[in-house]
Amino acid sequence: ISFNSVDSSLSSLKNCQSYINTGMEIATHVALDLVESFNDVEDVNSMENVMLEYAAMDRELNHYMTAIEETVNQIKREKPENIPDLKYLVNEKFTALESNNTDSDLQKNEKYIYFKDQVKDMRKQFCHQSDNDNEAIEQIDEDIAVTQSQMNFICPITQMEMKRPVRNKVCGHTYEEDAILKIIQTRKQQKKKVRCPKIGCSHADVKGSDLVPDEALKRAIDSQNKQ
């Protein structure tokens, strides 16, 4: 049995997945723009709903691709004399996978988690509230002062202000992207692990796959430099 057409379909589905990822990245950037430009809460919540819809599409697409791959592998193992009904078998496996869906699945989506973290950090950097709530504004002014005094824009590797900060998903520390990637590459060639360069951090195995752009921090640095 030739599976060339199936492989072609899987390739198309993976392209669709890249479109979903791009959509989630755009939604995250829009949400950060909204926080930075004072249009907070309701508009950001609408972006969060968009992220959850994308996460649902991503889950459904993953399940469908898994169902196809499992069906093809099963046929290759069993080598039936007659060509089975591929569509029926795929739909059967897909339905079984979808039956286990829960709302919490969507909140575990990696890009959704990133969205939540970045919006939270962005609100710390650019705290805005309704003008109607004077007490809240006074409290936020104090919080901003504390946040800004504690804010560290300096890379622990270069000891210079970061231009493209990336955050380690494991320990939460940030570094200049080029600097940390250079260390990872050098240590890889030496077949050694990379300890987090932040003083006092016990994380001893920094990987490139653990690094994500810290858009909220970058915007805070850019904002300060404009002032």
Side-chain angles (χ1 to χ4, degrees):
I1 301 172
S2 173
F3 293 103
N4 289 340
S5 60
V6 176
D7 291 339
S8 176
S9 298
L10 275 173
S11 179
S12 297
L13 290 174
K14 284 172 183 173
N15 282 336
C16 290
Q17 199 164 36
S18 72
Y19 298 144
I20 290 173
N21 288 336
T22 300
M24 294 181 95
E25 288 167 7
I26 291 170
T28 300
H29 282 290
V30 169
L32 297 181
D33 285 342
L34 290 169
V35 176
E36 190 174 358
S37 60
F38 296 77
N39 300 316
D40 205 0
V41 189
E42 190 175 335
D43 291 331
V44 175
N45 286 345
S46 69
M47 283 297 104
E48 184 173 346
N49 290 333
V50 169
M51 290 294 290
L52 288 170
E53 288 174 13
Y54 274 126
M57 284 190 277
D58 187 57
R59 177 179 64 187
E60 185 175 349
L61 196 56
N62 277 326
H63 283 167
Y64 199 69
M65 288 192 291
T66 299
I68 292 172
E69 288 166 353
E70 286 183 357
T71 300
V72 168
N73 290 335
Q74 180 184 337
I75 293 169
K76 284 179 177 178
R77 279 196 315 270
E78 296 174 357
K79 299 178 181 176
E81 292 183 11
N82 299 318
I83 298 174
D85 188 338
L86 281 174
K87 186 177 179 181
Y88 173 79
L89 291 174
V90 167
N91 282 334
E92 192 175 45
K93 290 183 184 296
F94 173 71
T95 302
L97 289 167
E98 286 282 290
S99 67
N100 294 321
N101 287 350
T102 65
D103 288 343
S104 63
D105 293 343
L106 304 181
Q107 293 172 1
K108 292 173 186 173
N109 179 284
E110 191 169 326
K111 286 194 178 293
Y112 174 76
I113 292 170
Y114 177 74
F115 170 91
K116 293 287 284 182
D117 287 345
Q118 286 288 288
V119 168
K120 181 181 175 183
D121 287 350
M122 197 71 176
R123 281 178 171 148
K124 286 179 187 174
Q125 318 288 9
F126 301 90
C127 285
H128 306 305
Q129 287 285 338
S130 167
D131 290 337
N132 299 327
D133 195 344
N134 292 327
E135 283 187 23
I137 290 169
E138 288 172 7
Q139 181 59 49
I140 284 160
D141 286 342
E142 291 175 15
D143 290 344
I144 290 173
V146 172
T147 302
Q148 288 178 341
S149 67
Q150 293 175 341
M151 206 177 287
N152 191 354
F153 297 160
I154 305 301
C155 171
I157 304 165
T158 65
Q159 294 302 310
M160 296 173 66
E161 186 177 86
M162 289 179 277
K163 294 178 180 176
R164 294 181 63 183
V166 290
R167 187 202 301 163
N168 191 325
K169 292 186 289 184
V170 178
C171 63
H173 293 128
T174 53
Y175 334 98
E176 181 64 53
E177 183 177 31
D178 289 344
I180 188 66
L181 290 179
K182 188 174 181 180
I183 290 176
I184 291 171
Q185 184 61 32
T186 302
R187 287 283 203 276
K188 187 177 180 182
Q189 290 170 352
Q190 298 169 346
K191 296 184 178 178
K192 292 180 180 178
K193 292 182 178 180
V194 179
R195 176 175 286 279
C196 175
K198 187 76 173 179
I199 294 172
C201 182
S202 60
H203 182 47
D205 190 12
V206 179
K207 297 185 178 74
S209 56
D210 293 331
L211 305 175
V212 292
D214 197 329
E215 182 68 22
L217 181 57
K218 184 181 184 303
R219 287 173 185 242
I221 294 170
D222 292 344
S223 176
Q224 178 178 272
N225 290 336
K226 285 175 187 175
Q227 291 173 2

